Amino acid sequence: MFSFLDTKAAKVFGTEMAHFYITRVPPEALLKEKEKQLASKAKQAMEKMADQITVFKKQNPLNIYKVAQMGNAFKWTLKDAGYAESYIDKLTQWFIVSVKL
């Protein structure tokens, strides 16, 4: 029963995925790079993240509480990195949907 409330692995994974994205598409790239280059980098990062999400889900049973905590860790890590709020919201939504699929 207590494993239902244990969100440590989910939070760590959410933070790791945010750092993974940050290293591949840094916030300053949103200002400096051309839209086409940025879209390509973001797509590649998200494809690799989707693979990692699939592996994580197979190894860790998730529930709605864990998914929420994971998404929150992901979002706040991106926020601390300096991304725009609207960008964070879209990326976090994609992340949570990917985790739920």
Side-chain angles (χ1 to χ4, degrees):
M1 167 132 174
F2 292 109
S3 65
F4 179 83
L5 300 174
D6 183 12
T7 62
K8 183 176 181 179
K11 288 180 182 179
V12 168
F13 183 72
T15 302
E16 287 173 354
M17 287 293 90
H19 285 294
F20 181 88
Y21 190 83
I22 291 165
T23 59
R24 282 149 184 81
V25 187
E28 36 307 328
L30 300 176
L31 303 173
K32 295 178 184 177
E33 293 191 25
K34 294 181 181 178
E35 192 171 328
K36 196 171 186 177
Q37 278 182 313
L38 183 62
S40 176
K41 280 185 176 183
K43 182 181 177 192
Q44 289 175 355
M46 291 164 79
E47 287 172 352
K48 290 178 182 178
M49 288 170 64
D51 293 340
Q52 292 181 33
I53 290 168
T54 301
V55 171
F56 183 81
K57 288 187 334 184
K58 287 180 182 177
Q59 297 172 350
N60 299 277
L62 298 173
N63 57 46
I64 192 70
Y65 183 64
K66 290 179 181 181
V67 171
Q69 293 295 314
M70 184 186 308
N72 196 39
F74 182 79
K75 181 175 184 166
W76 279 100
T77 303
L78 293 175
K79 188 173 250 183
D80 290 344
Y83 289 93
E85 192 70 34
S86 61
Y87 193 81
I88 293 169
D89 289 342
K90 289 176 186 175
L91 194 55
T92 302
Q93 183 179 10
W94 171 85
F95 180 70
I96 291 172
V97 168
S98 297
V99 169
K100 290 170 121 178
L101 291 178

